[in-house]
Amino acid sequence: MYSPSLSPTSPPATRVAPPRHRPGNGADPRADPRPELRPREGYGQQQLRTLPGRGGAPAVPRRMVMPQPAPGGPSLEGPAERSPALRAALADIARTYPSFVPRQLLREDGRHILVAGTAGRTPVVAKCLSRQGSTGRQGGRDATEDAELFRREVAAYRAFVRHRPPARLPKLVAADPERCVLLLERIPGRPASRERHPVNTPAPGEVRAVLGAVRSLNLWRPPAGTFERPLDYQREVARYHALGLLTDRDAGDLQQLLHGLAHTARQFCHGDALLENVVLAPSGPVLVDWEQAGWYLPGYDLALLWTVLSGDTAARRQISQVAQANGTLPRDAFLVNLLLLLMRELRRHDVPGAGEEQRILIRRLHEDAAMARRAVRAAVGTR
């Protein structure tokens, strides 16, 4: 690999004969305990070294030592510490994939339970729908809607087995849409963010990689009928108008832009391209949580990233340039998506009893919504 002139040289080692071993009295002279004369193992074979036993206990081979759970979450060793929802989820996982061995609880919230484990020698993550706390959640979804979204995610992963998208995603191991259980390959890496609206955005190179992965996905054209249209734009405008988030003029401007976009081809989008749903793996960004995947007006994923990247001015500028690069119709579609997504975030976060940090976020969302309103009015004026 290196040239001889750059490689360090060392004098040849002097061969020293090993000392002769003399067996003690009563020992078998045929036994040869010298470790240096044992046959070498073949290439790629793991050496079986033993750990010294304690208190007379037999030595344990090093490769047989079971790995301990990572410090990122609680262990699943004690059944008494498991919640009823977690016990029910583990039972459903065992019925779906009996060889799954749980190792660590990654998340347990009002919607989902994530358990890391192994299926044979493959690290996997089991995702289940929580059977408790399904009602009264933020966003107004009930248990029936959550189950429908979960089944849509299962259908998406099954479709990706037949039609592989250009973006990286976990491989499907097993699924049971009736029990709402999904087993996926566990991707080594870290989330791009642990917050929906990150205060500290990822490094510029990581943001560019995420934008590149999303743009590649948006250019993909899966076969017709594989995915649906998750969003009814006319109904969304009417809903936010009825809630008072959109004024009469806002609703009229959006209706006019949607009328001009009636014959625009839809774009395949992840539908929930938050930084929380991106794993930064050594080989690049990996997109997870595909329950909202489907056909949208162009620029939906980019508009969502613009909404949550309020602390990254350079990324927002790049997203705006990409959205306006292909003409008037993609620009108008991006603006429609942007204003509706900002209304959704305001409805999600602008609630009574918000703390200081949340009030700062609400103020920022209102400023972004005012900017989007002006852009929509300008777009209507150029028609």
Side-chain angles (χ1 to χ4, degrees), residues 218 220-221 229-233 258 261-269 294-298:
N218 296 154
W220 184 51
R221 305 294 296 181
R229 295 185 177 187
L231 188 61
D232 187 338
Y233 283 89
L258 287 173
L261 295 168
H263 302 290
T264 301
R266 296 295 177 107
Q267 184 183 73
F268 182 78
C269 296
W295 299 100
Y296 294 82
L297 286 177

Side-chain angles (χ1 to χ4, degrees), residues 29-40:
R30 293 172 297 176
D32 190 358
R34 289 175 293 175
E36 66 273 7
L37 296 183
R38 290 182 299 180
R40 295 183 179 179

Side-chain angles (χ1 to χ4, degrees), residues 134-157:
S134 299
T135 58
R137 283 197 207 98
Q138 198 172 23
R141 286 198 299 263
D142 57 12
T144 304
E145 292 174 325
D146 284 340
E148 180 61 28
L149 284 175
F150 199 99
R151 294 186 181 101
R152 280 170 47 184
E153 184 174 13
V154 171
Y157 275 105

Side-chain angles (χ1 to χ4, degrees), residues 186-210:
R186 187 174 187 183
I187 302 295
R190 59 180 176 84
S193 174
R194 299 188 183 276
E195 302 172 339
R196 186 178 182 90
H197 293 264
V199 177
N200 299 318
T201 57
E206 296 172 341
V207 174
R208 285 195 298 270
V210 172

Side-chain angles (χ1 to χ4, degrees), residues 166-203:
R168 283 207 62 203
L169 68 153
K171 295 179 181 179
L172 177 65
V173 177
D176 187 342
E178 298 303 321
R179 295 190 177 97
C180 292
V181 175
L182 187 61
L183 268 74
L184 302 168
E185 167 197 16
R186 187 174 187 183
I187 302 295
R190 59 180 176 84
S193 174
R194 299 188 183 276
E195 302 172 339
R196 186 178 182 90
H197 293 264
V199 177
N200 299 318
T201 57

Side-chain angles (χ1 to χ4, degrees), residues 42-278:
Y43 179 76
Q45 295 179 357
Q46 185 178 6
Q47 294 184 359
L48 186 61
R49 298 185 176 91
T50 59
L51 298 174
R54 294 183 179 178
V60 181
R62 184 177 299 274
R63 66 181 178 188
M64 296 299 293
V65 175
M66 297 301 295
Q68 298 297 322
S75 172
L76 293 176
E77 294 297 331
E81 300 177 356
R82 302 174 186 174
S83 65
L86 178 56
R87 288 197 295 268
L90 291 175
D92 289 338
I93 297 170
R95 295 187 188 99
T96 303
Y97 203 85
S99 63
F100 174 78
V101 179
R103 299 292 184 189
Q104 179 186 353
L105 175 63
L106 299 179
R107 188 177 73 188
E108 182 178 7
D109 54 24
R111 286 192 63 201
H112 295 128
I113 296 175
L114 268 67
V115 180
T118 55
R121 295 185 177 182
T122 305
V124 297
V125 173
K127 180 178 181 180
C128 307
L129 192 64
S130 177
R131 296 184 182 181
Q132 297 184 357
S134 299
T135 58
R137 283 197 207 98
Q138 198 172 23
R141 286 198 299 263
D142 57 12
T144 304
E145 292 174 325
D146 284 340
E148 180 61 28
L149 284 175
F150 199 99
R151 294 186 181 101
R152 280 170 47 184
E153 184 174 13
V154 171
Y157 275 105
R158 286 178 172 175
F160 294 148
V161 173
R162 300 186 300 270
H163 311 286
R164 194 73 179 174
R168 283 207 62 203
L169 68 153
K171 295 179 181 179
L172 177 65
V173 177
D176 187 342
E178 298 303 321
R179 295 190 177 97
C180 292
V181 175
L182 187 61
L183 268 74
L184 302 168
E185 167 197 16
R186 187 174 187 183
I187 302 295
R190 59 180 176 84
S193 174
R194 299 188 183 276
E195 302 172 339
R196 186 178 182 90
H197 293 264
V199 177
N200 299 318
T201 57
E206 296 172 341
V207 174
R208 285 195 298 270
V210 172
L211 290 178
V214 169
R215 291 180 62 188
S216 298
L217 177 70
N218 296 154
L219 296 176
W220 184 51
R221 305 294 296 181
T226 308
F227 294 92
E228 301 177 355
R229 295 185 177 187
L231 188 61
D232 187 338
Y233 283 89
Q234 297 289 349
R235 188 175 64 181
E236 288 294 291
V237 172
R239 181 161 69 103
Y240 292 129
H241 184 217
L243 291 172
L245 294 173
L246 291 175
T247 65
D248 294 342
R249 182 173 180 179
D250 295 333
D253 290 342
L254 289 175
Q255 294 286 0
Q256 189 168 346
L257 290 182
L258 287 173
H259 179 74
L261 295 168
H263 302 290
T264 301
R266 296 295 177 107
Q267 184 183 73
F268 182 78
C269 296
H270 179 279
D272 201 16
L274 301 167
L275 295 180
E276 289 180 311
N277 296 331
V278 179

